[in-house]
Amino acid sequence: MTIKELYDSVAELGFETELESERLNGFILAANRAIVQINRIRPATSIYKLNHFPLVNKLSESTYEPVCKDDEALIFSTDGAKSYFFECNGNGIATIEKSTDFGETWETLAAVELVSEKGQFEKYRGLILDGDKPYLGLVRIKFSGDYIYWVQNVAMYGSLLSADPESVPAFSKYISYDIASLTDDFVSFVCPPITDAQRDKGFILNTDYFVEGASKILIPASIKGVYDVVYNRQNKQLSLNDDMEETNIDLDSELCCLMPNLVASYIWADDEPTKAEYYLTLYNAQVAEIMAKEKSLKPVVYRNKTGW
């Protein structure tokens, strides 16, 4: 349904044949209000293709849990790392070092001052460079200092996303993606946002992955793949600048049929409340018919006592 088709349908319900500019503005406002209301019946959805391919951490030991740097220096080493990431809670020094003789002696490439004023884990990341080029031999991160502190999520990556140190990804058991920041029409997640069918053995919400807050989804770093994240999206709103004969209402065809009565009820609300109530009654009857049909079409799921 185009804006012009909607306007003609509303006009047939007793509205003026021709609209003055200020009345046309009221019509557009009423149409936008109706789009939002009707979309609640069957929310519009969209899919975000989430490419989940975290960089591989070259460190063999697990660093998800905090490790204490007490009296002795804390050391993580590997071969061929091009960048690093870690979190630290405390004050000290992290030294990036290289060895050209299989670990007999070490030479400093960079030193990172560790400062945590509020007692929280701070994030640190950077490139491992020998001068202005990556060093491809044996490297290590040496945590030292006069005080006790903790480090966690230590990673040394053998690949780079770019030459920008800020592009070095964080390392954690779960990777967080803010879908609202990755899209321009996000409203809320469909439940579940990732369907079980996308993985052979199922990918279950609150078991295999999690939702955090209103728009973040957390996926295990250990499971790579492309995931369809389904979310409720915003409907495109109408404006006076739209081509009335070419611009379509952003609802499916069945829901568009509800628009004329609801828009007419909004328009007549002040001048003809009785007429407005009549059109609202017709609208509610249409909604009830759609809801009854959808209820009858939903498949019945049977489960036996063992749960299948």
Side-chain angles (χ1 to χ4, degrees):
M1 176 182 285
T2 64
I3 301 176
K4 183 64 167 57
E5 290 171 335
L6 174 62
Y7 168 69
D8 290 341
S9 297
V10 173
E12 291 178 1
L13 299 178
F15 201 50
E16 291 92 336
T17 304
E18 296 292 335
L19 290 178
E20 299 175 358
S21 59
E22 61 272 16
R23 295 290 279 174
L24 180 59
N25 183 62
F27 167 78
I28 294 296
L29 291 176
N32 282 331
R33 181 182 172 190
I35 289 172
V36 173
Q37 176 67 28
I38 292 172
N39 183 64
R40 294 171 182 167
I41 299 171
R42 188 189 300 140
T45 63
S46 190
I47 294 175
Y48 179 78
K49 288 283 186 181
L50 181 59
N51 295 298
H52 177 63
F53 297 102
L55 295 184
V56 176
N57 187 355
K58 292 180 68 66
L59 297 178
S60 58
E61 61 266 52
S62 174
T63 61
Y64 294 131
E65 299 299 326
V67 181
C68 179
K69 198 296 298 177
D70 201 343
D71 297 329
E72 299 293 329
L74 191 61
I75 296 174
F76 297 90
S77 62
T78 190
D79 190 68
K82 298 179 180 179
S83 63
Y84 66 86
F85 173 88
F86 61 85
E87 299 176 21
C88 177
N89 178 356
N91 304 311
I93 296 290
T95 308
I96 313 301
E97 300 176 334
K98 71 173 184 177
S99 177
T100 58
D101 54 6
F102 304 100
E104 292 295 328
T105 60
W106 295 90
E107 179 183 343
T108 298
L109 295 174
V112 181
E113 183 180 7
L114 308 176
V115 179
S116 180
E117 297 179 352
K118 298 182 180 181
Q120 301 296 315
F121 278 95
E122 301 291 339
K123 295 179 173 62
Y124 300 85
R125 69 191 77 206
L127 305 181
I128 300 176
L129 300 175
D130 188 5
D132 60 352
K133 297 181 180 180
Y135 180 73
L136 302 180
L138 184 63
V139 292
R140 73 181 187 179
I141 303 177
K142 179 181 178 181
F143 295 95
S144 59
D146 297 329
Y147 310 107
I148 187 173
Y149 58 86
W150 288 261
V151 296
Q152 67 180 13
N153 293 328
V154 183
M156 301 179 76
Y157 301 118
S159 302
L160 298 177
L161 296 177
S162 77
D164 182 3
E166 293 302 313
S167 71
V168 177
F171 179 72
S172 61
K173 191 172 184 178
Y174 290 88
I175 307 299
S176 175
Y177 298 93
D178 188 348
I179 304 302
S181 68
L182 297 173
T183 62
D184 56 8
D185 58 355
F186 179 87
V187 175
S188 61
F189 285 120
V190 168
C191 188
I194 300 178
T195 61
D196 293 353
Q198 292 188 73
R199 289 188 57 80
D200 293 339
K201 296 182 180 180
F203 200 49
I204 304 172
L205 178 63
N206 295 328
T207 298
D208 300 310
Y209 69 101
F210 302 88
V211 167
E212 181 181 72
S215 61
K216 293 182 179 179
I217 191 164
L218 280 64
I219 300 181
S222 59
I223 304 177
K224 297 182 179 181
V226 178
Y227 299 95
D228 289 346
V229 180
V230 187
Y231 63 93
N232 296 311
R233 66 170 177 84
Q234 297 174 357
N235 296 89
K236 182 180 179 181
Q237 294 288 280
L238 309 178
S239 75
L240 292 171
N241 297 324
D242 290 334
D243 186 327
M244 293 186 64
E245 294 188 357
E246 296 294 331
T247 304
N248 291 307
I249 307 297
D250 188 16
L251 293 169
D252 65 50
S253 58
E254 185 176 40
L255 294 184
C256 278
C257 295
L258 304 177
M259 287 287 290
N261 283 326
L262 186 56
V263 172
S265 72
Y266 289 157
I267 291 176
W268 286 112
D270 292 332
D271 298 335
E272 296 284 348
T274 301
K275 187 179 292 186
E277 183 65 27
Y278 172 70
Y279 290 131
L280 184 59
T281 300
L282 294 180
Y283 164 77
N284 287 332
Q286 288 178 296
V287 172
E289 182 179 348
I290 290 176
M291 298 299 290
K293 182 177 68 173
E294 290 196 349
K295 186 177 181 180
S296 66
L297 292 176
K298 287 184 178 179
V300 177
V301 178
Y302 294 96
R303 293 183 182 274
N304 67 9
K305 292 183 179 180
T306 62
W308 56 271

Short mmCIF file of all heavy atoms in Angstrom, two decimals, residues 104 147 209 221 223 227 238 273 299:
data_model
loop_
_atom_site.label_atom_id
_atom_site.label_comp_id
_atom_site.label_asym_id
_atom_site.label_seq_id
_atom_site.Cartn_x
_atom_site.Cartn_y
_atom_site.Cartn_z
N GLU A 104 67.45 -17.73 25.90
CA GLU A 104 68.60 -17.58 26.81
C GLU A 104 68.71 -16.15 27.32
O GLU A 104 68.97 -15.91 28.50
CB GLU A 104 69.89 -18.00 26.10
CG GLU A 104 69.97 -19.48 25.78
CD GLU A 104 70.01 -20.34 27.02
OE1 GLU A 104 70.57 -19.90 28.05
OE2 GLU A 104 69.48 -21.47 26.98
N TYR A 147 54.59 -4.31 43.57
CA TYR A 147 53.34 -4.55 44.28
C TYR A 147 52.60 -5.77 43.71
O TYR A 147 52.82 -6.17 42.56
CB TYR A 147 52.44 -3.31 44.21
CG TYR A 147 53.15 -2.05 44.59
CD1 TYR A 147 53.52 -1.11 43.63
CD2 TYR A 147 53.48 -1.79 45.92
CE1 TYR A 147 54.18 0.06 43.98
CE2 TYR A 147 54.15 -0.62 46.29
CZ TYR A 147 54.50 0.28 45.31
OH TYR A 147 55.17 1.42 45.67
N TYR A 209 24.88 -19.50 24.44
CA TYR A 209 25.17 -18.09 24.25
C TYR A 209 24.20 -17.29 25.12
O TYR A 209 23.22 -17.84 25.65
CB TYR A 209 25.05 -17.68 22.78
CG TYR A 209 23.63 -17.69 22.25
CD1 TYR A 209 22.91 -16.50 22.11
CD2 TYR A 209 23.00 -18.87 21.89
CE1 TYR A 209 21.62 -16.51 21.61
CE2 TYR A 209 21.71 -18.89 21.40
CZ TYR A 209 21.02 -17.70 21.26
OH TYR A 209 19.73 -17.71 20.79
N ALA A 221 33.96 -17.59 22.42
CA ALA A 221 35.07 -17.35 21.51
C ALA A 221 35.54 -18.63 20.83
O ALA A 221 36.14 -18.59 19.76
CB ALA A 221 36.23 -16.70 22.27
N ILE A 223 33.77 -20.98 19.49
CA ILE A 223 32.89 -21.48 18.43
C ILE A 223 32.80 -20.43 17.32
O ILE A 223 32.15 -19.40 17.48
CB ILE A 223 31.48 -21.80 18.96
CG1 ILE A 223 31.57 -22.79 20.12
CG2 ILE A 223 30.61 -22.35 17.85
CD1 ILE A 223 30.23 -23.09 20.75
N TYR A 227 26.41 -16.29 12.08
CA TYR A 227 25.13 -16.49 12.76
C TYR A 227 24.12 -15.44 12.31
O TYR A 227 24.46 -14.26 12.18
CB TYR A 227 25.32 -16.41 14.27
CG TYR A 227 26.24 -17.47 14.82
CD1 TYR A 227 27.59 -17.20 15.03
CD2 TYR A 227 25.78 -18.74 15.11
CE1 TYR A 227 28.45 -18.18 15.51
CE2 TYR A 227 26.63 -19.72 15.60
CZ TYR A 227 27.96 -19.43 15.80
OH TYR A 227 28.81 -20.40 16.27
N LEU A 238 6.91 7.88 7.70
CA LEU A 238 6.56 8.68 6.53
C LEU A 238 6.88 10.15 6.78
O LEU A 238 6.93 10.61 7.93
CB LEU A 238 5.08 8.52 6.20
CG LEU A 238 4.57 7.07 6.10
CD1 LEU A 238 3.07 7.07 5.82
CD2 LEU A 238 5.33 6.31 5.04
N PRO A 273 -15.86 12.70 17.49
CA PRO A 273 -15.50 11.57 18.35
C PRO A 273 -16.36 10.33 18.12
O PRO A 273 -15.87 9.21 18.26
CB PRO A 273 -15.68 12.13 19.76
CG PRO A 273 -16.54 13.34 19.61
CD PRO A 273 -16.24 13.90 18.27
N PRO A 299 1.49 -24.17 15.14
CA PRO A 299 1.56 -25.63 15.33
C PRO A 299 1.48 -26.00 16.80
O PRO A 299 1.97 -25.27 17.67
CB PRO A 299 2.92 -26.01 14.74
CG PRO A 299 3.73 -24.76 14.87
CD PRO A 299 2.77 -23.63 14.68
#
